[in-house]
Amino acid sequence: MTESDRTPDPGSAADGPKYADRVYRSVPGVIAGVMLLGVAAWLIIDAVVSGTGATPWVALAAAPVFGFPVAAYTLRPVVKSNDQRLLVRNPLRTVVAPWATVEGLRAGYSVELFAGGRKFQVWAVPVSLRQRKKATRRAAKAAAAGDPHLPAARGAKAARADQLDPTRAWSDAVVASLQEQAERHAGDPGAAGEVQATWCWWVIGPTVAGLIALVSVVLAT
């Protein structure tokens, strides 16, 4: 799991410095997606080159049915935030929520965004109960060592440095950071607007077309 550096872009003195988006995504998910796509590509190429009869055509038709959803659910999800808005890119939809519309974020068994009277899942920030247990154990050890305020102090220091709280599970730290940004920028003039949710047709279209082609090839054999 990573967070991009905030690097200033040129801006007028009146507007203040402009910063690049902070980016949150699941690195294990990206690695798994790359591995799955690599294995799938090897199997499909092998079927096309070495297969006989209808096998090559079945493999070619199956490629988009497998490849696009895998890319959508592993490589595509990401969360980006700046001073104006929060962008949530899910497998099949992209949500752009100006900070003024963000009512809150919640990390239960999954991360949820509440904005504009609607609820959206946040795929790019998976919740890990194992990480939460580790964070709880670290806090307990710090308390047992006679410094119960140590985790909170480190968390406050991380927040002041505009970084994630290292004493919390990654998903909880991301949600806390985004919630803090929402509260900080909710009243900014540039943070006004409406929530926009658009479908990712470059994933949906090829997947449906590949499924139709796959069914047609299978029925024709």
Side-chain angles (χ1 to χ4, degrees):
M1 301 80 170
T2 62
E3 180 184 10
S4 71
D5 295 331
R6 299 192 68 183
T7 55
D9 294 332
S12 66
D15 294 336
K18 300 290 191 297
Y19 292 96
D21 285 353
R22 278 183 283 176
V23 180
Y24 310 89
R25 73 190 329 149
S26 172
V27 173
V30 172
I31 294 174
V34 171
M35 294 177 63
L36 284 172
L37 290 174
V39 172
W42 177 73
L43 292 175
I44 291 171
I45 292 173
D46 181 68
V48 171
V49 174
S50 305
T52 60
T55 300
W57 298 108
V58 172
L60 289 174
V65 178
F66 179 82
F68 280 94
V70 168
Y73 280 87
T74 59
L75 306 183
R76 175 177 154 78
V78 69
V79 171
K80 298 182 179 181
S81 65
N82 59 29
D83 293 346
Q84 286 78 43
R85 56 94 181 107
L86 174 66
L87 182 147
V88 176
R89 200 167 69 193
N90 286 332
L92 301 181
R93 283 203 300 179
T94 298
V95 179
V96 179
W99 288 121
T101 67
V102 175
E103 298 146 8
L105 292 103
R106 181 174 63 194
Y109 291 104
S110 63
V111 175
E112 298 172 329
L113 164 67
F114 299 88
R118 304 164 66 181
K119 181 175 73 173
F120 305 94
Q121 296 294 320
V122 182
W123 283 79
V125 186
V127 172
S128 172
L129 298 181
R130 182 179 180 182
Q131 286 186 2
R132 282 181 177 170
K133 291 179 180 179
K134 286 184 177 180
T136 301
R137 286 197 295 268
R138 287 197 299 267
K141 288 181 179 179
D147 192 0
H149 301 295
L150 182 59
R154 288 179 177 173
K157 183 178 180 180
R160 288 195 301 269
D162 211 11
Q163 298 175 353
L164 295 183
D165 184 350
T167 67
R168 307 178 69 175
W170 181 74
S171 58
D172 297 333
V174 170
V175 168
S177 176
L178 294 176
Q179 185 68 48
E180 189 275 332
Q181 291 178 62
E183 294 172 358
R184 189 198 320 162
H185 298 296
D188 294 353
E194 297 182 356
V195 177
Q196 299 178 3
T198 56
W199 291 99
C200 181
W201 293 109
W202 70 262
V203 171
I204 299 173
T207 302
V208 173
L211 183 60
I212 295 174
L214 179 60
V215 172
S216 300
V217 171
V218 171
L219 292 178
T221 57

